[in-house]
Amino acid sequence: MLVTNALIKRLRQKKLSSQINITYGVILFLTLIIINIGTTAGGDYLFFHQAERAIEISVKKVTERVNEIQAIDDSFFEIDIMPSVIFRVTDERGEIYFDSNPYFAPTEKMLQIVRKNPPFWSNSEYILLETERSFFYYKDLPLKIGEHTFHFHFLRTITFEKKYIRNLLWAIFIADLIGLGLAVMTGNILGKKVLKPLKQVTKTAREISIGTIKQRLTIENSGDEVNELSISFNTMLDRLEQSFTQQKRFIADASHELRTPITVIRGYADMLERYGADDKEILEEATAEIKKSAQNMQYLVENLLLLARADADTQNFIKTPVDINEILKVTIESFANPRLEFANDKIFEIKGDAEFLKKMFAAFIDNALIYSQDKVSVKLKNFGSAAVVEISDKGIGIAPENLDKIFDRFYRVDKARTKTEDDKISAGLGLSIAKWIADNHGVKIEVASTLGKGTTFKLTIPH
Ligand code: ADP
């Protein structure tokens, strides 16, 4: 048991190709051994049985004949004994009366070579004799004829059959060895061929780092499992590359956005150092600008942290039953902007995070106010199973080719516009955060926009 466990453990540590090869080798070997044993045992049984039958029939014929006669005469020996059986008749003193094969060794001599352990399937009524080269079944049948007892000896050789079995066993054994050798050899070659692409996968996987993320496996389109693995591996690399590129761009964009307020703060700090103590006007201007830049930085950092949490999927949304109507009302009030018009419907309750939902609506409303001069309408329509919120402006609009990009991080249609009219930072993060909140609340966003005419964001909120 211990040895088997140790062997299995060692086998597991081997390469996959060797594991398959060894396992199949062992299974094939055991199967061949079982077939060999079966063939030999079956053959042995068949030959023993045949010999027994030959003696049995002969014994029957002799017994019947003896019952019919009073004395042995020459006509008795015309009896039709099975041709494979040697038939001898002796009297009480051992004198030979009849011998169907006088050239064969005398019976007494044969009886000195009784086989000690006959096979379990051989019939115990018969004696099994075994010399170095020959095998026999033997039966002594004493029968009384008149006043005298005669011994009828039956001998049946199974030497040739045994030889045949032995040769067959050797032939099968050699064929087994050749078969096993061939199986292991072809297994090895096939194993190497099959596992070659896997090695390529391993090699590429080992070589890949951020610097070599563009590297891919060559795909041969063979349609097999390894081919499938290679395709999945390349797709995984595509996703990883995309994610790395996005991350790189995100870091670059974030640093770029943070640089502006930092430069402003430094500039005003330098100015304060030089003239601030004496010039009250400069002092006031510098303090106001530093404060504004610090606020912008805070907005940026807060949003960046939020996006980092979104990426890591660590933001915990505290979802409670909330009324969308109420949330919209509070959000609109927080803007305190007379351009905002709110047309509300009945109460519509969903389970959501009130603070994040306010942030989501605020992002759309804020943009509508920034990118238009006219009235901005916010409408809430309750359709029972879903509520629809429409935020429409009559502003600059968005060109169709930019519509699918506005939700990307740091995307601004007008790249030069980094600040809003009231000097608030415009970093292109608002809509990407709004989209993330919407996705986490099952909210569907649709945009309809015409350049120069205005934009409508339609948010469908399910119950
Ligand atoms: P930003 O902070 O620049 O407003 P957003 O992510 O909120 O960033 O919006 C991305 C871009 O989408 C904006 O820079 C603007 O070009 C465009 N955009 C968003 N809403 C509107 C709108 N209502 N009208 C016109 N353009 C808009």
Side-chain angles (χ1 to χ4, degrees), residues 299 363-364 367-372 393 395-398 405-408 411-414 417 425-432 449 454-455 457:
Y299 165 85
F364 294 106
N367 280 341
L369 290 171
I370 293 169
Y371 299 105
S372 76
D393 65 66
I396 59 169
I398 307 160
K405 294 188 212 138
I406 54 173
F407 295 99
D408 292 351
Y411 182 79
R412 288 180 294 244
V413 173
D414 181 359
R417 186 184 168 124
I425 194 161
S426 163
L429 291 180
L431 285 188
S432 56
S449 188
T455 310
F457 283 91

PDB file of all heavy atoms in Angstrom, residues 299 363-364 367-372 393 395-398 405-408 411-414 417 425-432 449 454-455 457, ligand 1:
ATOM      1  N   TYR A 299     -12.138  67.684  -5.721  1.00  0.00           N
ATOM      2  CA  TYR A 299     -13.151  67.068  -6.590  1.00  0.00           C
ATOM      3  C   TYR A 299     -12.510  65.957  -7.419  1.00  0.00           C
ATOM      4  O   TYR A 299     -13.022  64.841  -7.519  1.00  0.00           O
ATOM      5  CB  TYR A 299     -13.749  68.164  -7.481  1.00  0.00           C
ATOM      6  CG  TYR A 299     -14.541  67.648  -8.665  1.00  0.00           C
ATOM      7  CD1 TYR A 299     -15.874  67.297  -8.534  1.00  0.00           C
ATOM      8  CD2 TYR A 299     -13.933  67.519  -9.924  1.00  0.00           C
ATOM      9  CE1 TYR A 299     -16.592  66.825  -9.622  1.00  0.00           C
ATOM     10  CE2 TYR A 299     -14.648  67.051 -11.010  1.00  0.00           C
ATOM     11  CZ  TYR A 299     -15.971  66.699 -10.867  1.00  0.00           C
ATOM     12  OH  TYR A 299     -16.680  66.238 -11.940  1.00  0.00           O
ATOM     13  N   ALA A 363     -24.813  64.678 -12.171  1.00  0.00           N
ATOM     14  CA  ALA A 363     -23.844  64.708 -13.271  1.00  0.00           C
ATOM     15  C   ALA A 363     -24.533  65.124 -14.576  1.00  0.00           C
ATOM     16  O   ALA A 363     -24.028  65.968 -15.323  1.00  0.00           O
ATOM     17  CB  ALA A 363     -23.196  63.338 -13.429  1.00  0.00           C
ATOM     18  N   PHE A 364     -25.736  64.554 -14.845  1.00  0.00           N
ATOM     19  CA  PHE A 364     -26.451  64.892 -16.088  1.00  0.00           C
ATOM     20  C   PHE A 364     -26.972  66.333 -16.055  1.00  0.00           C
ATOM     21  O   PHE A 364     -26.866  67.068 -17.040  1.00  0.00           O
ATOM     22  CB  PHE A 364     -27.629  63.925 -16.306  1.00  0.00           C
ATOM     23  CG  PHE A 364     -27.178  62.502 -16.569  1.00  0.00           C
ATOM     24  CD1 PHE A 364     -27.302  61.510 -15.597  1.00  0.00           C
ATOM     25  CD2 PHE A 364     -26.611  62.165 -17.786  1.00  0.00           C
ATOM     26  CE1 PHE A 364     -26.888  60.220 -15.829  1.00  0.00           C
ATOM     27  CE2 PHE A 364     -26.195  60.867 -18.036  1.00  0.00           C
ATOM     28  CZ  PHE A 364     -26.326  59.895 -17.052  1.00  0.00           C
ATOM     29  N   ASN A 367     -24.120  68.887 -16.440  1.00  0.00           N
ATOM     30  CA  ASN A 367     -23.705  69.021 -17.847  1.00  0.00           C
ATOM     31  C   ASN A 367     -24.720  69.827 -18.646  1.00  0.00           C
ATOM     32  O   ASN A 367     -24.353  70.697 -19.438  1.00  0.00           O
ATOM     33  CB  ASN A 367     -23.555  67.644 -18.499  1.00  0.00           C
ATOM     34  CG  ASN A 367     -22.236  67.000 -18.126  1.00  0.00           C
ATOM     35  OD1 ASN A 367     -21.324  67.681 -17.690  1.00  0.00           O
ATOM     36  ND2 ASN A 367     -22.153  65.692 -18.286  1.00  0.00           N
ATOM     37  N   ALA A 368     -26.013  69.507 -18.434  1.00  0.00           N
ATOM     38  CA  ALA A 368     -27.054  70.213 -19.190  1.00  0.00           C
ATOM     39  C   ALA A 368     -26.971  71.716 -18.925  1.00  0.00           C
ATOM     40  O   ALA A 368     -27.125  72.529 -19.850  1.00  0.00           O
ATOM     41  CB  ALA A 368     -28.418  69.671 -18.794  1.00  0.00           C
ATOM     42  N   LEU A 369     -26.684  72.086 -17.672  1.00  0.00           N
ATOM     43  CA  LEU A 369     -26.568  73.511 -17.335  1.00  0.00           C
ATOM     44  C   LEU A 369     -25.311  74.128 -17.939  1.00  0.00           C
ATOM     45  O   LEU A 369     -25.326  75.259 -18.418  1.00  0.00           O
ATOM     46  CB  LEU A 369     -26.575  73.693 -15.812  1.00  0.00           C
ATOM     47  CG  LEU A 369     -27.919  73.402 -15.102  1.00  0.00           C
ATOM     48  CD1 LEU A 369     -27.738  73.393 -13.585  1.00  0.00           C
ATOM     49  CD2 LEU A 369     -28.974  74.452 -15.490  1.00  0.00           C
ATOM     50  N   ILE A 370     -24.223  73.325 -17.915  1.00  0.00           N
ATOM     51  CA  ILE A 370     -22.943  73.844 -18.434  1.00  0.00           C
ATOM     52  C   ILE A 370     -22.984  74.038 -19.957  1.00  0.00           C
ATOM     53  O   ILE A 370     -22.566  75.058 -20.480  1.00  0.00           O
ATOM     54  CB  ILE A 370     -21.769  72.895 -18.069  1.00  0.00           C
ATOM     55  CG1 ILE A 370     -21.556  72.906 -16.557  1.00  0.00           C
ATOM     56  CG2 ILE A 370     -20.484  73.298 -18.777  1.00  0.00           C
ATOM     57  CD1 ILE A 370     -20.613  71.809 -16.082  1.00  0.00           C
ATOM     58  N   TYR A 371     -23.532  73.010 -20.657  1.00  0.00           N
ATOM     59  CA  TYR A 371     -23.445  73.040 -22.123  1.00  0.00           C
ATOM     60  C   TYR A 371     -24.680  73.668 -22.795  1.00  0.00           C
ATOM     61  O   TYR A 371     -24.928  73.434 -23.968  1.00  0.00           O
ATOM     62  CB  TYR A 371     -23.173  71.626 -22.665  1.00  0.00           C
ATOM     63  CG  TYR A 371     -21.858  71.082 -22.142  1.00  0.00           C
ATOM     64  CD1 TYR A 371     -21.835  70.105 -21.152  1.00  0.00           C
ATOM     65  CD2 TYR A 371     -20.646  71.595 -22.611  1.00  0.00           C
ATOM     66  CE1 TYR A 371     -20.630  69.636 -20.643  1.00  0.00           C
ATOM     67  CE2 TYR A 371     -19.445  71.136 -22.107  1.00  0.00           C
ATOM     68  CZ  TYR A 371     -19.449  70.152 -21.129  1.00  0.00           C
ATOM     69  OH  TYR A 371     -18.261  69.713 -20.634  1.00  0.00           O
ATOM     70  N   SER A 372     -25.474  74.407 -22.019  1.00  0.00           N
ATOM     71  CA  SER A 372     -26.584  75.158 -22.627  1.00  0.00           C
ATOM     72  C   SER A 372     -26.803  76.460 -21.855  1.00  0.00           C
ATOM     73  O   SER A 372     -26.341  76.592 -20.719  1.00  0.00           O
ATOM     74  CB  SER A 372     -27.858  74.308 -22.604  1.00  0.00           C
ATOM     75  OG  SER A 372     -28.398  74.285 -21.295  1.00  0.00           O
ATOM     76  N   ASP A 393     -31.706  69.547 -22.592  1.00  0.00           N
ATOM     77  CA  ASP A 393     -31.240  70.943 -22.707  1.00  0.00           C
ATOM     78  C   ASP A 393     -31.320  71.377 -24.152  1.00  0.00           C
ATOM     79  O   ASP A 393     -31.434  70.533 -25.056  1.00  0.00           O
ATOM     80  CB  ASP A 393     -29.814  71.085 -22.163  1.00  0.00           C
ATOM     81  CG  ASP A 393     -28.804  70.321 -22.977  1.00  0.00           C
ATOM     82  OD1 ASP A 393     -28.579  70.662 -24.148  1.00  0.00           O
ATOM     83  OD2 ASP A 393     -28.212  69.339 -22.429  1.00  0.00           O
ATOM     84  N   GLY A 395     -28.896  73.045 -25.721  1.00  0.00           N
ATOM     85  CA  GLY A 395     -27.526  73.571 -25.793  1.00  0.00           C
ATOM     86  C   GLY A 395     -26.769  73.193 -27.049  1.00  0.00           C
ATOM     87  O   GLY A 395     -27.366  72.995 -28.115  1.00  0.00           O
ATOM     88  N   ILE A 396     -25.444  73.019 -26.882  1.00  0.00           N
ATOM     89  CA  ILE A 396     -24.565  72.851 -28.052  1.00  0.00           C
ATOM     90  C   ILE A 396     -24.724  71.486 -28.726  1.00  0.00           C
ATOM     91  O   ILE A 396     -24.363  71.314 -29.875  1.00  0.00           O
ATOM     92  CB  ILE A 396     -23.075  73.078 -27.676  1.00  0.00           C
ATOM     93  CG1 ILE A 396     -22.635  72.082 -26.584  1.00  0.00           C
ATOM     94  CG2 ILE A 396     -22.829  74.504 -27.222  1.00  0.00           C
ATOM     95  CD1 ILE A 396     -21.132  72.067 -26.356  1.00  0.00           C
ATOM     96  N   GLY A 397     -25.242  70.506 -27.989  1.00  0.00           N
ATOM     97  CA  GLY A 397     -25.438  69.157 -28.560  1.00  0.00           C
ATOM     98  C   GLY A 397     -24.119  68.390 -28.694  1.00  0.00           C
ATOM     99  O   GLY A 397     -23.030  68.938 -28.468  1.00  0.00           O
ATOM    100  N   ILE A 398     -24.246  67.143 -29.050  1.00  0.00           N
ATOM    101  CA  ILE A 398     -23.054  66.280 -29.196  1.00  0.00           C
ATOM    102  C   ILE A 398     -23.108  65.649 -30.590  1.00  0.00           C
ATOM    103  O   ILE A 398     -24.158  65.124 -30.989  1.00  0.00           O
ATOM    104  CB  ILE A 398     -23.030  65.176 -28.114  1.00  0.00           C
ATOM    105  CG1 ILE A 398     -23.170  65.790 -26.710  1.00  0.00           C
ATOM    106  CG2 ILE A 398     -21.757  64.325 -28.190  1.00  0.00           C
ATOM    107  CD1 ILE A 398     -23.637  64.824 -25.653  1.00  0.00           C
ATOM    108  N   LYS A 405     -18.541  58.017 -26.881  1.00  0.00           N
ATOM    109  CA  LYS A 405     -17.283  58.235 -26.141  1.00  0.00           C
ATOM    110  C   LYS A 405     -17.503  59.058 -24.880  1.00  0.00           C
ATOM    111  O   LYS A 405     -16.625  59.098 -24.016  1.00  0.00           O
ATOM    112  CB  LYS A 405     -16.283  58.974 -27.028  1.00  0.00           C
ATOM    113  CG  LYS A 405     -15.840  58.151 -28.229  1.00  0.00           C
ATOM    114  CD  LYS A 405     -14.705  58.855 -28.946  1.00  0.00           C
ATOM    115  CE  LYS A 405     -14.763  58.580 -30.439  1.00  0.00           C
ATOM    116  NZ  LYS A 405     -14.495  59.734 -31.243  1.00  0.00           N
ATOM    117  N   ILE A 406     -18.656  59.724 -24.782  1.00  0.00           N
ATOM    118  CA  ILE A 406     -18.811  60.669 -23.663  1.00  0.00           C
ATOM    119  C   ILE A 406     -18.792  60.000 -22.292  1.00  0.00           C
ATOM    120  O   ILE A 406     -18.570  60.651 -21.286  1.00  0.00           O
ATOM    121  CB  ILE A 406     -20.091  61.543 -23.807  1.00  0.00           C
ATOM    122  CG1 ILE A 406     -21.308  60.640 -23.984  1.00  0.00           C
ATOM    123  CG2 ILE A 406     -19.958  62.523 -24.938  1.00  0.00           C
ATOM    124  CD1 ILE A 406     -22.613  61.399 -23.955  1.00  0.00           C
ATOM    125  N   PHE A 407     -19.016  58.672 -22.273  1.00  0.00           N
ATOM    126  CA  PHE A 407     -18.990  57.973 -20.974  1.00  0.00           C
ATOM    127  C   PHE A 407     -17.593  57.470 -20.631  1.00  0.00           C
ATOM    128  O   PHE A 407     -17.372  56.898 -19.580  1.00  0.00           O
ATOM    129  CB  PHE A 407     -19.985  56.801 -20.977  1.00  0.00           C
ATOM    130  CG  PHE A 407     -21.407  57.261 -21.088  1.00  0.00           C
ATOM    131  CD1 PHE A 407     -22.080  57.240 -22.298  1.00  0.00           C
ATOM    132  CD2 PHE A 407     -22.059  57.769 -19.973  1.00  0.00           C
ATOM    133  CE1 PHE A 407     -23.379  57.692 -22.398  1.00  0.00           C
ATOM    134  CE2 PHE A 407     -23.367  58.228 -20.070  1.00  0.00           C
ATOM    135  CZ  PHE A 407     -24.031  58.194 -21.287  1.00  0.00           C
ATOM    136  N   ASP A 408     -16.613  57.667 -21.537  1.00  0.00           N
ATOM    137  CA  ASP A 408     -15.230  57.253 -21.258  1.00  0.00           C
ATOM    138  C   ASP A 408     -14.599  58.199 -20.240  1.00  0.00           C
ATOM    139  O   ASP A 408     -14.919  59.386 -20.197  1.00  0.00           O
ATOM    140  CB  ASP A 408     -14.374  57.291 -22.544  1.00  0.00           C
ATOM    141  CG  ASP A 408     -14.812  56.222 -23.528  1.00  0.00           C
ATOM    142  OD1 ASP A 408     -15.639  55.376 -23.135  1.00  0.00           O
ATOM    143  OD2 ASP A 408     -14.332  56.266 -24.685  1.00  0.00           O
ATOM    144  N   TYR A 411     -12.877  61.831 -21.001  1.00  0.00           N
ATOM    145  CA  TYR A 411     -13.235  62.248 -22.359  1.00  0.00           C
ATOM    146  C   TYR A 411     -14.016  63.555 -22.334  1.00  0.00           C
ATOM    147  O   TYR A 411     -15.007  63.703 -21.617  1.00  0.00           O
ATOM    148  CB  TYR A 411     -14.066  61.169 -23.084  1.00  0.00           C
ATOM    149  CG  TYR A 411     -14.386  61.594 -24.502  1.00  0.00           C
ATOM    150  CD1 TYR A 411     -13.432  61.480 -25.506  1.00  0.00           C
ATOM    151  CD2 TYR A 411     -15.619  62.180 -24.807  1.00  0.00           C
ATOM    152  CE1 TYR A 411     -13.699  61.924 -26.800  1.00  0.00           C
ATOM    153  CE2 TYR A 411     -15.892  62.626 -26.090  1.00  0.00           C
ATOM    154  CZ  TYR A 411     -14.927  62.499 -27.077  1.00  0.00           C
ATOM    155  OH  TYR A 411     -15.184  62.955 -28.351  1.00  0.00           O
ATOM    156  N   ARG A 412     -13.517  64.520 -23.120  1.00  0.00           N
ATOM    157  CA  ARG A 412     -14.233  65.795 -23.313  1.00  0.00           C
ATOM    158  C   ARG A 412     -14.318  66.014 -24.808  1.00  0.00           C
ATOM    159  O   ARG A 412     -13.325  65.813 -25.513  1.00  0.00           O
ATOM    160  CB  ARG A 412     -13.431  66.950 -22.698  1.00  0.00           C
ATOM    161  CG  ARG A 412     -13.434  66.973 -21.191  1.00  0.00           C
ATOM    162  CD  ARG A 412     -12.610  68.141 -20.682  1.00  0.00           C
ATOM    163  NE  ARG A 412     -11.208  67.961 -21.013  1.00  0.00           N
ATOM    164  CZ  ARG A 412     -10.259  67.814 -20.110  1.00  0.00           C
ATOM    165  NH1 ARG A 412     -10.549  67.813 -18.833  1.00  0.00           N
ATOM    166  NH2 ARG A 412      -9.022  67.678 -20.487  1.00  0.00           N
ATOM    167  N   VAL A 413     -15.510  66.403 -25.273  1.00  0.00           N
ATOM    168  CA  VAL A 413     -15.624  66.645 -26.719  1.00  0.00           C
ATOM    169  C   VAL A 413     -14.663  67.777 -27.089  1.00  0.00           C
ATOM    170  O   VAL A 413     -13.875  67.669 -28.030  1.00  0.00           O
ATOM    171  CB  VAL A 413     -17.074  67.004 -27.112  1.00  0.00           C
ATOM    172  CG1 VAL A 413     -17.138  67.407 -28.574  1.00  0.00           C
ATOM    173  CG2 VAL A 413     -17.996  65.812 -26.850  1.00  0.00           C
ATOM    174  N   ASP A 414     -14.688  68.821 -26.284  1.00  0.00           N
ATOM    175  CA  ASP A 414     -13.779  69.948 -26.525  1.00  0.00           C
ATOM    176  C   ASP A 414     -12.580  69.792 -25.589  1.00  0.00           C
ATOM    177  O   ASP A 414     -12.655  70.091 -24.398  1.00  0.00           O
ATOM    178  CB  ASP A 414     -14.538  71.271 -26.237  1.00  0.00           C
ATOM    179  CG  ASP A 414     -13.664  72.483 -26.488  1.00  0.00           C
ATOM    180  OD1 ASP A 414     -12.486  72.292 -26.867  1.00  0.00           O
ATOM    181  OD2 ASP A 414     -14.173  73.610 -26.310  1.00  0.00           O
ATOM    182  N   ARG A 417     -11.300  72.685 -23.437  1.00  0.00           N
ATOM    183  CA  ARG A 417     -12.142  73.223 -22.369  1.00  0.00           C
ATOM    184  C   ARG A 417     -11.902  72.421 -21.086  1.00  0.00           C
ATOM    185  O   ARG A 417     -12.435  71.341 -20.889  1.00  0.00           O
ATOM    186  CB  ARG A 417     -13.599  73.100 -22.820  1.00  0.00           C
ATOM    187  CG  ARG A 417     -14.560  73.742 -21.889  1.00  0.00           C
ATOM    188  CD  ARG A 417     -15.960  73.443 -22.405  1.00  0.00           C
ATOM    189  NE  ARG A 417     -16.914  73.797 -21.376  1.00  0.00           N
ATOM    190  CZ  ARG A 417     -17.905  74.639 -21.566  1.00  0.00           C
ATOM    191  NH1 ARG A 417     -18.084  75.190 -22.724  1.00  0.00           N
ATOM    192  NH2 ARG A 417     -18.743  74.920 -20.582  1.00  0.00           N
ATOM    193  N   ILE A 425     -13.577  72.687 -12.389  1.00  0.00           N
ATOM    194  CA  ILE A 425     -12.797  71.811 -13.265  1.00  0.00           C
ATOM    195  C   ILE A 425     -13.725  70.930 -14.117  1.00  0.00           C
ATOM    196  O   ILE A 425     -14.772  70.502 -13.658  1.00  0.00           O
ATOM    197  CB  ILE A 425     -11.821  70.957 -12.411  1.00  0.00           C
ATOM    198  CG1 ILE A 425     -10.776  70.320 -13.316  1.00  0.00           C
ATOM    199  CG2 ILE A 425     -12.551  69.873 -11.633  1.00  0.00           C
ATOM    200  CD1 ILE A 425      -9.553  69.874 -12.564  1.00  0.00           C
ATOM    201  N   SER A 426     -13.329  70.723 -15.363  1.00  0.00           N
ATOM    202  CA  SER A 426     -14.099  69.830 -16.233  1.00  0.00           C
ATOM    203  C   SER A 426     -13.122  68.768 -16.715  1.00  0.00           C
ATOM    204  O   SER A 426     -12.372  68.979 -17.649  1.00  0.00           O
ATOM    205  CB  SER A 426     -14.659  70.653 -17.398  1.00  0.00           C
ATOM    206  OG  SER A 426     -15.060  69.805 -18.431  1.00  0.00           O
ATOM    207  N   ALA A 427     -13.124  67.656 -16.003  1.00  0.00           N
ATOM    208  CA  ALA A 427     -12.079  66.642 -16.266  1.00  0.00           C
ATOM    209  C   ALA A 427     -12.576  65.485 -17.111  1.00  0.00           C
ATOM    210  O   ALA A 427     -11.816  64.604 -17.474  1.00  0.00           O
ATOM    211  CB  ALA A 427     -11.547  66.108 -14.947  1.00  0.00           C
ATOM    212  N   GLY A 428     -13.865  65.473 -17.419  1.00  0.00           N
ATOM    213  CA  GLY A 428     -14.399  64.359 -18.227  1.00  0.00           C
ATOM    214  C   GLY A 428     -14.630  63.106 -17.410  1.00  0.00           C
ATOM    215  O   GLY A 428     -14.577  61.995 -17.928  1.00  0.00           O
ATOM    216  N   LEU A 429     -14.889  63.304 -16.095  1.00  0.00           N
ATOM    217  CA  LEU A 429     -15.121  62.125 -15.226  1.00  0.00           C
ATOM    218  C   LEU A 429     -16.586  61.964 -14.846  1.00  0.00           C
ATOM    219  O   LEU A 429     -17.023  60.885 -14.470  1.00  0.00           O
ATOM    220  CB  LEU A 429     -14.285  62.238 -13.948  1.00  0.00           C
ATOM    221  CG  LEU A 429     -12.773  62.102 -14.107  1.00  0.00           C
ATOM    222  CD1 LEU A 429     -12.085  62.235 -12.757  1.00  0.00           C
ATOM    223  CD2 LEU A 429     -12.412  60.770 -14.730  1.00  0.00           C
ATOM    224  N   GLY A 430     -17.330  63.085 -14.931  1.00  0.00           N
ATOM    225  CA  GLY A 430     -18.723  63.083 -14.451  1.00  0.00           C
ATOM    226  C   GLY A 430     -19.568  61.956 -15.027  1.00  0.00           C
ATOM    227  O   GLY A 430     -20.177  61.178 -14.281  1.00  0.00           O
ATOM    228  N   LEU A 431     -19.597  61.816 -16.372  1.00  0.00           N
ATOM    229  CA  LEU A 431     -20.480  60.823 -16.988  1.00  0.00           C
ATOM    230  C   LEU A 431     -20.000  59.391 -16.760  1.00  0.00           C
ATOM    231  O   LEU A 431     -20.811  58.474 -16.666  1.00  0.00           O
ATOM    232  CB  LEU A 431     -20.625  61.098 -18.493  1.00  0.00           C
ATOM    233  CG  LEU A 431     -21.515  62.287 -18.866  1.00  0.00           C
ATOM    234  CD1 LEU A 431     -21.742  62.327 -20.365  1.00  0.00           C
ATOM    235  CD2 LEU A 431     -22.856  62.223 -18.155  1.00  0.00           C
ATOM    236  N   SER A 432     -18.661  59.204 -16.668  1.00  0.00           N
ATOM    237  CA  SER A 432     -18.190  57.830 -16.443  1.00  0.00           C
ATOM    238  C   SER A 432     -18.599  57.352 -15.051  1.00  0.00           C
ATOM    239  O   SER A 432     -18.970  56.188 -14.866  1.00  0.00           O
ATOM    240  CB  SER A 432     -16.678  57.694 -16.658  1.00  0.00           C
ATOM    241  OG  SER A 432     -16.000  58.588 -15.848  1.00  0.00           O
ATOM    242  N   SER A 449     -29.158  63.422 -29.284  1.00  0.00           N
ATOM    243  CA  SER A 449     -28.574  64.758 -29.344  1.00  0.00           C
ATOM    244  C   SER A 449     -28.457  65.250 -30.781  1.00  0.00           C
ATOM    245  O   SER A 449     -28.212  64.472 -31.697  1.00  0.00           O
ATOM    246  CB  SER A 449     -27.181  64.723 -28.689  1.00  0.00           C
ATOM    247  OG  SER A 449     -26.686  66.033 -28.579  1.00  0.00           O
ATOM    248  N   GLY A 454     -29.435  70.647 -29.041  1.00  0.00           N
ATOM    249  CA  GLY A 454     -29.599  70.211 -27.650  1.00  0.00           C
ATOM    250  C   GLY A 454     -29.495  68.704 -27.458  1.00  0.00           C
ATOM    251  O   GLY A 454     -29.364  67.946 -28.431  1.00  0.00           O
ATOM    252  N   THR A 455     -29.548  68.317 -26.202  1.00  0.00           N
ATOM    253  CA  THR A 455     -29.324  66.916 -25.838  1.00  0.00           C
ATOM    254  C   THR A 455     -30.377  66.469 -24.839  1.00  0.00           C
ATOM    255  O   THR A 455     -30.782  67.238 -23.965  1.00  0.00           O
ATOM    256  CB  THR A 455     -27.921  66.774 -25.184  1.00  0.00           C
ATOM    257  OG1 THR A 455     -26.973  67.398 -26.033  1.00  0.00           O
ATOM    258  CG2 THR A 455     -27.534  65.331 -24.932  1.00  0.00           C
ATOM    259  N   PHE A 457     -30.936  63.187 -22.209  1.00  0.00           N
ATOM    260  CA  PHE A 457     -30.495  61.917 -21.602  1.00  0.00           C
ATOM    261  C   PHE A 457     -31.730  61.265 -21.019  1.00  0.00           C
ATOM    262  O   PHE A 457     -32.456  61.880 -20.241  1.00  0.00           O
ATOM    263  CB  PHE A 457     -29.468  62.160 -20.491  1.00  0.00           C
ATOM    264  CG  PHE A 457     -28.097  62.478 -21.016  1.00  0.00           C
ATOM    265  CD1 PHE A 457     -27.712  63.796 -21.245  1.00  0.00           C
ATOM    266  CD2 PHE A 457     -27.189  61.460 -21.286  1.00  0.00           C
ATOM    267  CE1 PHE A 457     -26.448  64.085 -21.736  1.00  0.00           C
ATOM    268  CE2 PHE A 457     -25.920  61.751 -21.773  1.00  0.00           C
ATOM    269  CZ  PHE A 457     -25.550  63.065 -22.011  1.00  0.00           C
TER     270      PHE A 457
HETATM  271  P1  ADP B   1     -17.113  66.966 -17.936  1.00  0.00           P
HETATM  272  O1  ADP B   1     -16.562  67.052 -16.563  1.00  0.00           O
HETATM  273  O2  ADP B   1     -16.156  67.449 -18.978  1.00  0.00           O
HETATM  274  O3  ADP B   1     -18.492  67.563 -18.084  1.00  0.00           O
HETATM  275  P2  ADP B   1     -18.460  64.519 -18.413  1.00  0.00           P
HETATM  276  O4  ADP B   1     -17.990  63.140 -18.284  1.00  0.00           O
HETATM  277  O5  ADP B   1     -19.582  64.929 -17.545  1.00  0.00           O
HETATM  278  O6  ADP B   1     -17.219  65.430 -18.216  1.00  0.00           O
HETATM  279  O7  ADP B   1     -18.883  64.738 -19.903  1.00  0.00           O
HETATM  280  C1  ADP B   1     -18.030  64.340 -20.942  1.00  0.00           C
HETATM  281  C2  ADP B   1     -18.208  65.203 -22.165  1.00  0.00           C
HETATM  282  O8  ADP B   1     -19.481  64.965 -22.779  1.00  0.00           O
HETATM  283  C3  ADP B   1     -18.196  66.677 -21.875  1.00  0.00           C
HETATM  284  O9  ADP B   1     -16.875  67.157 -21.835  1.00  0.00           O
HETATM  285  C4  ADP B   1     -18.988  67.228 -23.028  1.00  0.00           C
HETATM  286  O10 ADP B   1     -18.142  67.437 -24.123  1.00  0.00           O
HETATM  287  C5  ADP B   1     -19.963  66.132 -23.362  1.00  0.00           C
HETATM  288  N1  ADP B   1     -21.311  66.398 -22.789  1.00  0.00           N
HETATM  289  C6  ADP B   1     -21.865  65.857 -21.710  1.00  0.00           C
HETATM  290  N2  ADP B   1     -23.138  66.283 -21.497  1.00  0.00           N
HETATM  291  C7  ADP B   1     -23.382  67.148 -22.513  1.00  0.00           C
HETATM  292  C8  ADP B   1     -24.508  67.962 -22.861  1.00  0.00           C
HETATM  293  N3  ADP B   1     -25.644  67.965 -22.145  1.00  0.00           N
HETATM  294  N4  ADP B   1     -24.408  68.734 -23.969  1.00  0.00           N
HETATM  295  C9  ADP B   1     -23.295  68.733 -24.689  1.00  0.00           C
HETATM  296  N5  ADP B   1     -22.197  68.017 -24.431  1.00  0.00           N
HETATM  297  C10 ADP B   1     -22.233  67.236 -23.337  1.00  0.00           C
END
